[in-house]
Amino acid sequence: MSTTATIAEYQAQNKAKLISEVRRRFEAEYVTDKSDKYDSRDVERLQQDDNWIESYLAWRHNVVDETLKMLDESFQWRKEMAVNDLTEASIPRWLLEIGGIYLHGYDKEGNKLFWIRVKYHIKDHKTILDKKKLIAFWLERYAKRENGKPVTVMFDLSETGLNSIDMDFVRFIINCFKVYYPKYLSKMVIFDMPWIMNAAFKIVKTWLGPEAVSLLKFTSKNDIQDYVSVEYLPPHMGGTDPFKYSYPPLVDDDFQTPLCENGPIASEDEASSKEDIESDGKDTLETISNEEQTTLPKKGNIMEPTSKADENEKVDSKMKTFKKPLSVFKGPLLHISPAEELYFGSTDSGEKKALIVLTNVTKNIVAFKVRTTAPEKYRVKPSNSSCDPGASVDIVVSPHGGLTVSAQDRFLVMAAEMEQTSGTGPAELTQFWKEVPRNKVMEHRLRCHIVDSYKPSSLTWKDHAFNMSVKTSEDLCHQFVTSRRESDCSPP
């Protein structure tokens, strides 16, 4: 056995011993006869989650006595704040709407950005507890989803004044990372700090301690790109990120895997479910199936007049509700159509499904997955697959079980290049997404748009598709854009 392997084995054994000792002593010295001090769910988790204990040990340099004190303080705080029970409903709506605290984007090392827009904070003892709960809500939410992955705190001090300085609140944030969520702080980027706050941040440095002081990064518009690339910086920081905070729903970082991962949910109507079950996810890798092509006009082809009866026979019940995407987002790995909005019909119009078309513009296989802010609401097929070089993939998005599409729902398309030797089966894709660096992942977001009623100019491929005169795709695009402009300019 090599020296390196021997050292690694010793370290693993030593870590296991330390974790075991922490569990034993915490139970004996802190929990016994004092169980009301803590939330029983935290005590139970401590007995099962090695990584949680390890995070406290690492922050206290593997000194068990110090780790136990830290656990005691942290657990008491968690119970006082009712952290395990914090939900969106626990936070006043106005506080969520103002957009002063949220998660969005990544730094150059792939760490999630935790934004604190200080200008929206006004010192007020009546609201400070709610603001602390909001910080705890986001950190706990993130910790449960991304166990152990650090965040970069973006302290945006632009446009702030003296009325925004609240040292109690700043100290709370520092303690969150020093005591309550150890190992979660990658760095704290301080942007555009006014000179009047110099004295305040000298105090902050003492709170952080000598080792953590190095995690403070004071920046301006000239050097913030050392830590965060322009795609995740707002314009006032010199970036190009078009993201604008709005609520509800919670910001787009809450993307989750749809209920229907590469397959159907049996509670749809019988016919649709059977069709989907019989079709494998790979069937959708063809741009449009042969049967589906009969419903779409081709450039330069004359479509013969079709009777209503013939039309009903020809049109696939699954595809006739699609609107062909006309706009394209041109990303470095994939071209994504539509570019910004998925168009769904209202309940009355019956246009239930939407289509996302991905085109691989690289020379390598590109893995992709689709997530949504409303995973219980949509079927997405395929939601996790790959696309060959130069090929296109059609992704079908449909509301599940009669649930209503909301304009607040969002979709996230994630993509990353794979090595030529990599497999593309489910197991290989799962492993690939675990290992791919965050900065190698392309992301693109799509909003939902509900069409209230059927209009020929919306170019849905229903009855209208069989009665159109010969038009090129460019003509159709022009018609679509013109109709949108007329609609946008019409009086309310």
Side-chain angles (χ1 to χ4, degrees):
M1 183 180 293
S2 65
T3 304
T4 302
T6 303
I7 294 174
E9 183 179 352
Y10 169 76
Q11 289 175 338
Q13 291 175 350
N14 187 55
K15 181 172 69 175
K17 288 180 181 178
L18 289 171
I19 290 173
S20 179
E21 183 180 353
V22 168
R23 281 198 176 111
R24 178 182 58 79
R25 287 186 57 187
F26 190 78
E27 182 71 29
E29 300 173 23
Y30 289 85
V31 176
T32 304
D33 299 327
K34 302 175 185 177
S35 58
D36 58 326
K37 287 175 61 179
Y38 315 124
D39 187 320
S40 60
R41 289 167 289 185
D42 290 333
V43 176
E44 182 179 349
R45 179 184 169 190
L46 193 75
Q47 298 302 319
Q48 301 170 354
D49 191 341
D50 288 357
N51 290 332
W52 205 22
I53 297 177
E54 187 182 352
S55 67
Y56 286 95
L57 275 167
W59 198 253
R60 287 293 179 257
H61 307 288
N62 291 331
V63 178
V64 173
D65 286 342
E66 294 299 316
T67 301
L68 292 170
K69 292 177 184 177
M70 188 177 181
L71 279 167
D72 176 52
E73 182 180 350
S74 178
F75 277 26
Q76 288 189 63
W77 171 82
R78 289 178 64 85
K79 183 172 182 179
E80 291 169 7
M81 293 289 289
V83 171
N84 287 312
D85 297 313
L86 283 178
T87 65
E88 200 173 333
S90 308
I91 313 299
R93 185 182 175 95
W94 70 267
L95 200 52
L96 291 167
E97 289 176 341
I98 200 171
I101 300 166
Y102 57 88
L103 288 161
H104 172 70
Y106 302 89
D107 68 9
K108 286 189 171 181
E109 296 174 335
N111 302 309
K112 179 69 75 176
L113 301 180
F114 187 35
W115 291 86
I116 299 175
R117 306 289 304 280
V118 180
K119 73 174 184 178
Y120 294 119
H121 177 79
I122 304 299
K123 186 174 182 179
D124 183 357
H125 71 277
K126 295 179 181 178
T127 62
I128 187 64
L129 180 59
D130 287 328
K131 291 172 183 175
K132 289 179 178 180
K133 284 184 177 180
L134 182 56
I135 292 284
F137 167 76
W138 276 118
L139 289 177
E140 184 69 9
R141 182 184 183 87
Y142 177 79
K144 287 178 178 177
R145 283 202 327 233
E146 306 286 352
N147 188 18
K149 293 183 180 179
V151 298
T152 290
V153 177
M154 299 292 287
F155 246 110
D156 183 3
L157 292 165
S158 57
E159 302 178 48
T160 57
L162 287 173
N163 61 342
S164 297
I165 299 177
D166 187 343
M167 298 307 290
D168 177 44
F169 189 51
V170 173
R171 185 163 196 167
F172 173 80
I173 295 170
I174 297 296
N175 277 342
C176 279
F177 291 103
K178 278 191 67 176
V179 182
Y180 313 141
Y181 295 91
K183 280 186 66 177
Y184 274 94
L185 181 62
S186 164
K187 55 188 152 306
M188 189 174 288
V189 178
I190 315 296
F191 176 77
D192 206 13
M193 186 180 73
W195 65 269
I196 56 173
M197 292 188 179
N198 284 336
F201 271 86
K202 286 181 180 179
I203 298 173
V204 170
K205 289 180 180 180
T206 65
W207 292 341
L208 279 169
E211 295 179 355
V213 165
S214 62
L215 302 180
L216 281 178
K217 311 295 180 183
F218 293 90
T219 64
S220 65
K221 200 171 182 177
N222 295 327
D223 54 8
I224 193 169
Q225 291 180 33
D226 292 346
Y227 307 104
V228 183
S229 60
V230 291
E231 64 180 314
Y232 288 121
L233 289 174
H236 75 273
M237 290 184 174
T240 59
D241 188 357
F243 170 79
K244 292 183 179 180
Y245 182 92
S246 64
Y247 178 87
L250 290 171
V251 290
D252 285 355
D253 298 87
D254 191 31
F255 286 109
Q256 300 175 44
T257 302
L259 275 176
C260 180
E261 180 99 3
N262 292 345
I265 297 176
S267 56
E268 279 278 335
D269 61 87
E270 289 285 330
S272 177
S273 290
K274 287 181 180 177
E275 278 185 343
D276 287 341
I277 290 170
E278 290 170 0
S279 64
D280 188 279
K282 66 183 179 183
D283 292 340
T284 60
L285 296 181
E286 299 174 14
T287 304
I288 304 171
S289 69
N290 292 334
E291 182 179 357
E292 289 160 354
Q293 285 181 357
T294 65
T295 71
L296 301 178
K298 297 180 182 178
K299 183 175 179 178
N301 286 352
I302 299 176
M303 298 197 306
E304 299 176 357
T306 311
S307 68
K308 192 72 176 176
D310 291 338
E311 175 186 321
N312 290 337
E313 292 177 5
K314 285 187 176 183
V315 179
D316 181 278
S317 62
K318 220 170 38 165
M319 294 296 295
K320 69 179 180 179
T321 60
F322 288 154
K323 285 168 274 303
K324 183 176 177 62
L326 295 175
S327 57
V328 179
F329 166 78
K330 296 183 177 180
L333 306 181
L334 295 175
H335 285 184
I336 301 173
S337 184
E340 296 180 353
E341 294 182 323
L342 284 179
Y343 282 79
F344 294 88
S346 64
T347 304
D348 294 334
S349 70
E351 301 159 19
K352 298 197 317 182
K353 300 183 181 181
L355 187 67
I356 304 172
V357 181
L358 308 181
T359 302
N360 184 348
V361 294
T362 75
K363 296 181 180 179
N364 297 314
I365 295 173
V366 171
F368 68 86
K369 58 182 176 180
V370 181
R371 291 186 169 186
T372 176
T373 55
E376 73 288 345
K377 189 183 292 187
Y378 295 96
R379 299 172 62 182
V380 179
K381 183 176 181 178
S383 63
N384 186 2
S385 189
S386 61
C387 185
D388 292 335
S392 293
V393 176
D394 290 352
I395 299 173
V396 181
V397 181
S398 57
H400 162 58
L403 294 173
T404 304
V405 175
S406 170
Q408 297 167 347
D409 297 339
R410 300 287 189 272
F411 286 83
L412 172 71
V413 179
M414 304 173 68
E417 281 187 280
M418 303 183 74
E419 297 290 338
Q420 293 182 349
T421 56
S422 301
T424 56
E428 289 90 344
L429 286 172
T430 298
Q431 190 62 30
F432 172 79
W433 285 111
K434 287 181 179 179
E435 298 174 352
V436 64
R438 178 64 71 175
N439 59 6
K440 299 293 184 183
V441 177
M442 167 190 148
E443 295 185 350
H444 185 65
R445 290 160 170 75
L446 295 167
R447 302 185 298 272
C448 291
H449 184 91
I450 299 100
V451 180
D452 292 333
S453 60
Y454 171 70
K455 297 179 181 179
S457 61
S458 67
L459 296 184
T460 58
W461 301 107
K462 286 185 71 178
D463 303 343
H464 179 61
F466 293 90
N467 295 307
M468 289 188 300
S469 57
V470 180
K471 296 182 180 182
T472 65
S473 59
E474 288 81 6
D475 292 331
L476 298 177
C477 184
H478 175 73
Q479 177 183 344
F480 178 81
V481 172
T482 302
S483 66
R484 286 297 302 275
R485 285 175 179 167
E486 291 173 353
S487 175
D488 292 342
C489 294
S490 62

